[in-house]
Amino acid sequence: MTAENARAGSAVPDVAAVTAALQIARRAPSLHNSQPWRLIFDGKRLHLHSDPDRSLPMADPDGRQQVISCGAMLHHTRTAFAANGWHTDVVRLPDPARPRYLAALAFRPWPDPPERIRNQARIIGRRYSDRLPMDAPDGWDALLPGVTEVARACEITLDDLPDSVRERLAAASDQAEAMRRFDQPYQSELRWWTGHFDPAEGIPPTALATAAEAGRVPVRREFPTAPGSTRRTMAEDHARLLALSSSDDGPAHWLRTGEALSAVLLECTGAGLSTCPLTHITELPAARRVIAALLPGHLRPQVVVRVGMAPEPDPVPPTPRLPIEDILTITTD
Ligand SMILES: Cc1cc2nc3c(=O)[nH]c(=O)nc-3n(C[C@H](O)[C@H](O)[C@H](O)COP(=O)(O)O)c2cc1C
Protein backbone atom coordinates (compact mmCIF):
# COMPACT_ATOMS: atom_id res chain seq x y z
CA MET A 1 0.00 0.00 0.00
CA THR A 2 2.61 2.49 1.14
CA ALA A 3 5.28 1.62 -1.40
CA GLU A 4 2.49 1.73 -3.99
CA ASN A 5 1.80 5.31 -2.97
CA ALA A 6 5.49 6.15 -3.55
CA ARG A 7 5.75 4.19 -6.79
CA ALA A 8 2.58 5.84 -8.10
CA GLY A 9 4.64 9.02 -8.37
CA SER A 10 2.84 10.86 -5.60
CA ALA A 11 4.92 13.75 -4.19
CA VAL A 12 3.85 13.13 -0.59
CA PRO A 13 2.76 10.04 1.31
CA ASP A 14 -0.97 9.58 1.80
CA VAL A 15 -2.55 8.94 5.19
CA ALA A 16 -2.29 5.16 4.72
CA ALA A 17 1.45 5.48 4.02
CA VAL A 18 1.98 7.67 7.07
CA THR A 19 0.05 5.25 9.26
CA ALA A 20 1.95 2.25 7.90
CA ALA A 21 5.33 3.88 8.59
CA LEU A 22 4.33 4.85 12.12
CA GLN A 23 3.08 1.31 12.82
CA ILE A 24 6.70 0.27 12.41
CA ALA A 25 8.30 3.35 14.01
CA ARG A 26 6.28 3.27 17.23
CA ARG A 27 8.44 0.32 18.35
CA ALA A 28 11.06 2.98 19.24
CA PRO A 29 12.51 2.66 22.76
CA SER A 30 11.58 5.26 25.38
CA LEU A 31 12.23 5.87 29.06
CA HIS A 32 10.02 3.36 30.96
CA ASN A 33 8.13 2.85 27.67
CA SER A 34 6.48 6.22 28.21
CA GLN A 35 6.26 6.87 24.43
CA PRO A 36 6.35 10.63 24.95
CA TRP A 37 5.81 11.55 21.30
CA ARG A 38 2.99 13.10 19.33
CA LEU A 39 2.91 13.33 15.54
CA ILE A 40 0.84 15.63 13.36
CA PHE A 41 0.47 15.03 9.62
CA ASP A 42 -0.82 18.09 7.78
CA GLY A 43 -1.04 16.47 4.37
CA LYS A 44 2.45 17.58 3.37
CA ARG A 45 4.71 17.37 6.36
CA LEU A 46 4.94 15.32 9.53
CA HIS A 47 5.58 17.20 12.78
CA LEU A 48 7.10 15.55 15.86
CA HIS A 49 6.28 16.98 19.30
CA SER A 50 7.02 15.79 22.82
CA ASP A 51 3.96 15.14 24.99
CA PRO A 52 3.88 17.04 28.31
CA ASP A 53 1.44 14.47 29.71
CA ARG A 54 4.06 11.74 29.37
CA SER A 55 6.79 13.28 31.49
CA LEU A 56 8.60 11.48 34.32
CA PRO A 57 9.42 14.35 36.67
CA MET A 58 11.30 12.22 39.23
CA ALA A 59 13.62 10.29 36.89
CA ASP A 60 13.79 13.04 34.29
CA PRO A 61 13.14 16.45 35.85
CA ASP A 62 14.56 18.51 32.98
CA GLY A 63 12.94 16.44 30.22
CA ARG A 64 16.32 15.35 28.83
CA GLN A 65 15.33 11.71 28.43
CA GLN A 66 11.95 12.65 27.03
CA VAL A 67 13.75 14.40 24.17
CA ILE A 68 16.19 11.48 23.80
CA SER A 69 13.20 9.14 23.51
CA CYS A 70 11.66 11.41 20.86
CA GLY A 71 15.01 11.40 19.02
CA ALA A 72 14.86 7.59 18.93
CA MET A 73 11.31 7.90 17.53
CA LEU A 74 12.58 10.37 14.91
CA HIS A 75 15.24 7.93 13.70
CA HIS A 76 12.80 4.99 13.71
CA THR A 77 10.30 7.13 11.77
CA ARG A 78 12.85 8.14 9.12
CA THR A 79 13.98 4.53 8.79
CA ALA A 80 10.41 3.27 8.37
CA PHE A 81 9.55 5.91 5.75
CA ALA A 82 12.79 5.24 3.86
CA ALA A 83 12.08 1.51 3.75
CA ASN A 84 8.60 2.30 2.40
CA GLY A 85 9.95 4.52 -0.39
CA TRP A 86 10.06 7.99 1.17
CA HIS A 87 13.18 10.03 1.81
CA THR A 88 12.70 12.53 4.64
CA ASP A 89 14.31 15.97 4.99
CA VAL A 90 14.34 17.02 8.64
CA VAL A 91 14.35 20.41 10.30
CA ARG A 92 15.16 19.90 13.97
CA LEU A 93 13.68 22.25 16.57
CA PRO A 94 12.04 24.35 13.85
CA ASP A 95 10.47 26.94 16.16
CA PRO A 96 12.57 28.17 19.11
CA ALA A 97 9.42 29.66 20.66
CA ARG A 98 7.89 26.14 20.87
CA PRO A 99 10.49 23.89 22.55
CA ARG A 100 8.22 20.82 22.41
CA TYR A 101 8.11 21.06 18.61
CA LEU A 102 11.12 18.82 17.97
CA ALA A 103 11.18 18.14 14.24
CA ALA A 104 9.42 18.76 10.93
CA LEU A 105 9.78 16.12 8.22
CA ALA A 106 9.26 16.84 4.53
CA PHE A 107 9.07 13.99 2.01
CA ARG A 108 10.61 13.08 -1.34
CA PRO A 109 9.75 9.87 -3.17
CA TRP A 110 12.56 7.30 -2.94
CA PRO A 111 11.09 4.43 -4.95
CA ASP A 112 14.14 2.18 -4.70
CA PRO A 113 15.77 2.47 -1.28
CA PRO A 114 18.83 0.26 -0.75
CA GLU A 115 18.26 -3.20 0.69
CA ARG A 116 20.26 -2.13 3.79
CA ILE A 117 17.53 0.38 4.68
CA ARG A 118 14.69 -2.05 4.07
CA ASN A 119 16.51 -4.46 6.33
CA GLN A 120 16.89 -1.82 9.08
CA ALA A 121 13.13 -1.40 9.16
CA ARG A 122 12.75 -5.17 9.60
CA ILE A 123 15.28 -5.05 12.44
CA ILE A 124 13.05 -2.55 14.29
CA GLY A 125 10.63 -5.41 14.96
CA ARG A 126 13.38 -7.61 16.44
CA ARG A 127 14.98 -5.08 18.84
CA TYR A 128 14.06 -5.12 22.52
CA SER A 129 15.65 -4.11 25.82
CA ASP A 130 17.33 -7.20 27.24
CA ARG A 131 17.87 -6.89 31.02
CA LEU A 132 19.30 -10.37 31.59
CA PRO A 133 23.01 -11.23 31.91
CA MET A 134 24.67 -11.50 28.50
CA ASP A 135 27.68 -13.22 26.97
CA ALA A 136 30.35 -11.03 25.37
CA PRO A 137 29.35 -10.01 21.82
CA ASP A 138 30.85 -12.22 19.11
CA GLY A 139 33.01 -10.43 16.53
CA TRP A 140 32.86 -7.17 18.49
CA ASP A 141 36.18 -5.75 17.23
CA ALA A 142 34.95 -6.00 13.66
CA LEU A 143 31.55 -4.48 14.51
CA LEU A 144 32.70 -1.59 16.67
CA PRO A 145 33.86 0.76 13.84
CA GLY A 146 30.44 0.53 12.12
CA VAL A 147 28.57 1.07 15.39
CA THR A 148 30.79 4.06 16.23
CA GLU A 149 30.19 5.50 12.77
CA VAL A 150 26.38 5.41 12.96
CA ALA A 151 26.59 7.41 16.20
CA ARG A 152 29.13 9.83 14.72
CA ALA A 153 26.81 10.45 11.76
CA CYS A 154 24.38 11.86 14.37
CA GLU A 155 27.18 14.01 15.89
CA ILE A 156 27.32 11.77 18.96
CA THR A 157 30.48 10.19 20.37
CA LEU A 158 30.44 6.49 21.18
CA ASP A 159 33.00 5.11 23.62
CA ASP A 160 33.40 1.39 24.15
CA LEU A 161 34.35 1.42 27.83
CA PRO A 162 37.35 -0.79 28.62
CA ASP A 163 37.08 -3.72 31.04
CA SER A 164 39.37 -1.84 33.42
CA VAL A 165 36.59 0.66 34.26
CA ARG A 166 33.76 -1.85 34.76
CA GLU A 167 34.21 -1.93 38.52
CA ARG A 168 34.11 1.84 38.80
CA LEU A 169 31.00 1.99 36.68
CA ALA A 170 29.36 -0.78 38.71
CA ALA A 171 30.17 1.15 41.90
CA ALA A 172 28.66 4.35 40.44
CA SER A 173 25.60 2.37 39.35
CA ASP A 174 25.21 0.88 42.86
CA GLN A 175 25.63 4.26 44.45
CA ALA A 176 23.06 5.89 42.16
CA GLU A 177 20.54 3.17 42.97
CA ALA A 178 21.30 3.29 46.71
CA MET A 179 20.57 7.02 46.70
CA ARG A 180 17.18 6.31 45.12
CA ARG A 181 16.16 3.33 47.25
CA PHE A 182 14.35 5.44 49.82
CA ASP A 183 13.35 8.23 47.46
CA GLN A 184 9.60 7.64 47.65
CA PRO A 185 8.51 9.93 44.78
CA TYR A 186 11.09 8.31 42.46
CA GLN A 187 10.07 4.80 43.57
CA SER A 188 6.34 5.56 43.15
CA GLU A 189 6.94 6.82 39.62
CA LEU A 190 9.01 3.72 38.79
CA ARG A 191 6.36 1.41 40.22
CA TRP A 192 3.61 3.21 38.31
CA TRP A 193 5.40 2.66 34.99
CA THR A 194 6.30 -0.96 35.78
CA GLY A 195 3.22 -2.13 37.61
CA HIS A 196 -0.02 -0.75 36.31
CA PHE A 197 -0.54 -3.36 33.60
CA ASP A 198 -1.83 -0.92 31.04
CA PRO A 199 -1.92 -2.86 27.78
CA ALA A 200 -0.44 0.07 25.86
CA GLU A 201 2.41 1.56 27.89
CA GLY A 202 4.95 0.95 30.65
CA ILE A 203 7.23 -2.04 31.24
CA PRO A 204 5.43 -5.36 31.76
CA PRO A 205 6.83 -7.97 34.20
CA THR A 206 7.81 -10.19 31.25
CA ALA A 207 10.41 -7.55 30.26
CA LEU A 208 11.97 -7.42 33.73
CA ALA A 209 14.57 -9.68 35.35
CA THR A 210 14.09 -11.94 38.36
CA ALA A 211 16.08 -11.03 41.48
CA ALA A 212 18.60 -13.81 40.71
CA GLU A 213 19.06 -12.62 37.12
CA ALA A 214 19.34 -8.93 38.02
CA GLY A 215 21.91 -9.76 40.70
CA ARG A 216 24.33 -10.91 38.00
CA VAL A 217 24.12 -7.62 36.05
CA PRO A 218 26.29 -5.13 37.93
CA VAL A 219 25.40 -2.03 35.85
CA ARG A 220 21.61 -1.82 35.83
CA ARG A 221 18.66 0.27 36.93
CA GLU A 222 16.87 -1.39 39.86
CA PHE A 223 13.35 -2.24 38.75
CA PRO A 224 10.79 -4.21 40.75
CA THR A 225 11.88 -7.80 40.17
CA ALA A 226 9.79 -10.23 38.17
CA PRO A 227 8.65 -13.62 39.48
CA GLY A 228 9.72 -16.74 37.63
CA SER A 229 12.52 -19.20 37.20
CA THR A 230 16.05 -18.11 36.39
CA ARG A 231 17.05 -17.75 32.77
CA ARG A 232 20.66 -17.64 31.49
CA THR A 233 22.74 -19.31 34.12
CA MET A 234 26.12 -17.70 33.30
CA ALA A 235 27.85 -16.52 36.45
CA GLU A 236 28.20 -12.90 35.41
CA ASP A 237 27.37 -10.36 32.75
CA HIS A 238 29.92 -10.00 29.94
CA ALA A 239 28.11 -7.30 27.98
CA ARG A 240 30.19 -4.44 26.56
CA LEU A 241 29.31 -1.06 28.00
CA LEU A 242 29.07 1.77 25.46
CA ALA A 243 28.75 5.42 26.44
CA LEU A 244 26.89 7.76 24.09
CA SER A 245 27.91 11.35 24.73
CA SER A 246 27.27 14.76 23.24
CA SER A 247 29.55 17.77 23.10
CA ASP A 248 27.10 19.82 25.19
CA ASP A 249 23.71 19.59 26.89
CA GLY A 250 20.43 20.98 25.58
CA PRO A 251 17.47 19.83 23.46
CA ALA A 252 19.36 19.82 20.15
CA HIS A 253 22.03 17.51 21.63
CA TRP A 254 19.42 15.32 23.34
CA LEU A 255 17.47 14.89 20.13
CA ARG A 256 20.62 13.85 18.26
CA THR A 257 21.49 11.47 21.13
CA GLY A 258 18.13 9.73 20.67
CA GLU A 259 18.72 9.40 16.94
CA ALA A 260 22.18 7.95 17.61
CA LEU A 261 20.79 5.60 20.26
CA SER A 262 18.25 4.25 17.78
CA ALA A 263 20.91 3.83 15.08
CA VAL A 264 23.29 2.04 17.47
CA LEU A 265 20.58 -0.29 18.83
CA LEU A 266 19.46 -1.24 15.31
CA GLU A 267 23.03 -1.76 14.10
CA CYS A 268 23.74 -4.09 17.03
CA THR A 269 20.41 -5.92 16.75
CA GLY A 270 21.07 -6.43 13.03
CA ALA A 271 24.36 -8.10 13.96
CA GLY A 272 22.45 -10.57 16.18
CA LEU A 273 23.33 -8.85 19.46
CA SER A 274 21.20 -8.05 22.50
CA THR A 275 21.07 -4.49 23.81
CA CYS A 276 19.78 -2.47 26.75
CA PRO A 277 19.92 1.32 27.17
CA LEU A 278 20.75 2.54 30.70
CA THR A 279 20.27 6.04 32.03
CA HIS A 280 20.03 5.72 35.82
CA ILE A 281 23.75 6.58 35.97
CA THR A 282 23.32 9.76 33.95
CA GLU A 283 20.33 10.99 35.98
CA LEU A 284 22.23 11.87 39.15
CA PRO A 285 25.02 14.46 38.86
CA ALA A 286 27.52 12.50 40.99
CA ALA A 287 27.18 9.31 38.93
CA ARG A 288 27.21 11.26 35.69
CA ARG A 289 30.49 12.86 36.74
CA VAL A 290 32.01 9.39 37.27
CA ILE A 291 31.24 8.42 33.67
CA ALA A 292 32.34 11.80 32.34
CA ALA A 293 35.70 11.32 34.06
CA LEU A 294 36.16 8.01 32.21
CA LEU A 295 35.71 9.67 28.80
CA PRO A 296 38.25 11.64 26.81
CA GLY A 297 37.69 15.41 26.48
CA HIS A 298 34.75 17.24 27.98
CA LEU A 299 31.87 15.13 26.82
CA ARG A 300 28.38 14.98 28.38
CA PRO A 301 27.49 11.32 28.87
CA GLN A 302 23.82 10.77 28.00
CA VAL A 303 23.12 7.04 27.74
CA VAL A 304 25.06 3.86 28.46
CA VAL A 305 24.18 0.84 26.32
CA ARG A 306 24.83 -2.76 27.31
CA VAL A 307 25.59 -4.87 24.25
CA GLY A 308 26.13 -8.61 24.35
CA MET A 309 24.81 -11.96 23.24
CA ALA A 310 21.98 -14.07 24.48
CA PRO A 311 23.43 -17.60 24.75
CA GLU A 312 20.23 -19.08 23.40
CA PRO A 313 17.09 -17.44 22.06
CA ASP A 314 14.67 -16.75 24.90
CA PRO A 315 11.88 -14.87 23.19
CA VAL A 316 9.99 -12.41 25.37
CA PRO A 317 6.67 -10.90 24.34
CA PRO A 318 7.14 -7.44 22.83
CA THR A 319 6.51 -4.51 25.19
CA PRO A 320 3.20 -2.80 24.43
CA ARG A 321 2.72 0.38 22.39
CA LEU A 322 0.01 3.03 22.20
CA PRO A 323 -2.40 2.66 19.28
CA ILE A 324 -1.60 4.84 16.28
CA GLU A 325 -4.67 7.02 16.84
CA ASP A 326 -3.26 8.02 20.25
CA ILE A 327 0.02 9.26 18.80
CA LEU A 328 -0.98 10.58 15.36
CA THR A 329 -3.24 13.52 14.51
CA ILE A 330 -4.21 14.11 10.90
CA THR A 331 -5.03 17.68 10.01
CA THR A 332 -5.64 17.24 6.27
CA ASP A 333 -9.19 17.83 5.01
C1 LIG B 1 16.07 7.51 27.14
C2 LIG B 1 15.90 6.06 27.54
C3 LIG B 1 16.30 5.65 28.81
C4 LIG B 1 16.19 4.31 29.20
N1 LIG B 1 16.68 3.92 30.42
C5 LIG B 1 16.65 2.62 30.74
C6 LIG B 1 17.26 2.18 31.98
O1 LIG B 1 17.85 2.96 32.72
N2 LIG B 1 17.21 0.85 32.27
C7 LIG B 1 16.59 -0.06 31.42
O2 LIG B 1 16.59 -1.24 31.74
N3 LIG B 1 15.99 0.35 30.27
C8 LIG B 1 16.03 1.65 29.92
N4 LIG B 1 15.48 2.05 28.72
C9 LIG B 1 14.77 1.08 27.88
C10 LIG B 1 13.25 1.27 27.98
O3 LIG B 1 12.77 0.86 29.25
C11 LIG B 1 12.57 0.49 26.86
O4 LIG B 1 12.97 1.04 25.63
C12 LIG B 1 11.06 0.49 26.91
O5 LIG B 1 10.61 -0.12 28.08
C13 LIG B 1 10.45 -0.21 25.70
O6 LIG B 1 10.86 -1.56 25.67
P1 LIG B 1 11.72 -2.16 24.46
O7 LIG B 1 12.99 -1.37 24.38
O8 LIG B 1 11.94 -3.58 24.86
O9 LIG B 1 10.93 -2.01 23.19
C14 LIG B 1 15.60 3.37 28.31
C15 LIG B 1 15.20 3.79 27.04
C16 LIG B 1 15.37 5.12 26.64
C17 LIG B 1 14.99 5.54 25.25
Side-chain angles (χ1 to χ4, degrees):
M1 179 73 192
T2 58
E4 276 165 26
N5 177 218
R7 273 196 296 271
S10 175
V12 284
D14 57 19
V15 170
V18 171
T19 307
L22 293 181
Q23 280 293 359
I24 299 170
R26 71 191 176 131
R27 295 300 317 160
S30 59
L31 179 64
H32 297 0
N33 201 19
S34 50
Q35 306 164 68
W37 39 71
R38 286 293 167 269
L39 294 120
I40 301 171
F41 181 57
D42 66 11
K44 281 195 176 140
R45 294 191 304 162
L46 185 68
H47 308 271
L48 169 67
H49 298 256
S50 65
D51 181 347
D53 293 338
R54 297 189 157 269
S55 308
L56 287 87
M58 299 307 141
D60 186 31
D62 53 8
R64 180 175 64 93
Q65 298 185 67
Q66 188 178 56
V67 178
I68 294 176
S69 301
C70 288
M73 180 59 170
L74 174 59
H75 182 265
H76 268 51
T77 299
R78 299 191 71 197
T79 303
F81 273 107
N84 284 353
W86 294 100
H87 179 83
T88 48
D89 294 308
V90 182
V91 180
R92 295 177 181 82
L93 298 162
D95 182 355
R98 297 160 66 201
R100 290 197 170 276
Y101 182 12
L102 297 175
L105 283 74
F107 298 94
R108 277 184 281 142
W110 191 8
D112 237 340
E115 182 52 31
R116 190 185 66 79
I117 290 191
R118 291 185 204 273
N119 195 36
Q120 266 216 326
R122 288 191 281 269
I123 291 166
I124 285 177
R126 303 212 311 262
R127 184 212 59 81
Y128 72 99
S129 298
D130 183 338
R131 299 185 176 88
L132 303 186
M134 299 175 191
D135 282 335
D138 263 359
W140 182 239
D141 289 348
L143 285 168
L144 181 59
V147 178
T148 308
E149 177 52 31
V150 296
R152 200 204 54 77
C154 300
E155 298 160 352
I156 294 298
T157 304
L158 182 148
D159 283 288
D160 175 29
L161 298 171
D163 288 342
S164 56
V165 307
R166 287 180 88 89
E167 269 185 35
R168 272 159 76 194
L169 214 60
S173 173
D174 277 353
Q175 203 180 1
E177 290 308 83
M179 286 170 74
R180 246 85 180 267
R181 217 158 281 148
F182 302 105
D183 177 342
Q184 281 313 323
Y186 169 85
Q187 291 295 340
S188 303
E189 183 181 82
L190 186 70
R191 277 198 298 272
W192 194 84
W193 284 101
T194 52
H196 65 288
F197 303 108
D198 187 298
E201 62 187 7
I203 309 182
T206 45
L208 296 172
T210 66
E213 291 159 352
R216 285 176 284 126
V217 181
V219 182
R220 66 171 197 284
R221 187 189 293 270
E222 279 179 16
F223 287 104
T225 46
S229 51
T230 299
R231 295 156 290 181
R232 300 195 198 157
T233 50
M234 72 272 266
E236 56 180 306
D237 184 44
H238 291 285
R240 302 296 317 168
L241 295 165
L242 313 180
L244 295 181
S245 313
S246 51
S247 57
D248 209 341
D249 261 318
H253 297 281
W254 302 336
L255 194 64
R256 295 302 264 157
T257 299
E259 292 175 74
L261 173 63
S262 164
V264 165
L265 296 178
L266 295 184
E267 194 72 15
C268 292
T269 306
L273 304 180
S274 288
T275 59
C276 188
L278 297 172
T279 43
H280 64 294
I281 26 180
T282 56
E283 283 165 10
L284 296 177
R288 200 179 187 199
R289 277 195 298 273
V290 171
I291 307 182
L294 301 173
L295 304 174
H298 297 283
L299 294 169
R300 311 292 163 101
Q302 303 288 356
V303 183
V304 170
V305 184
R306 288 175 60 236
V307 180
M309 292 206 33
E312 69 275 335
D314 39 17
V316 290
T319 49
R321 290 297 184 272
L322 294 164
I324 290 288
E325 52 277 20
D326 285 10
I327 60 167
L328 173 65
T329 305
I330 310 278
T331 60
T332 57
D333 299 328

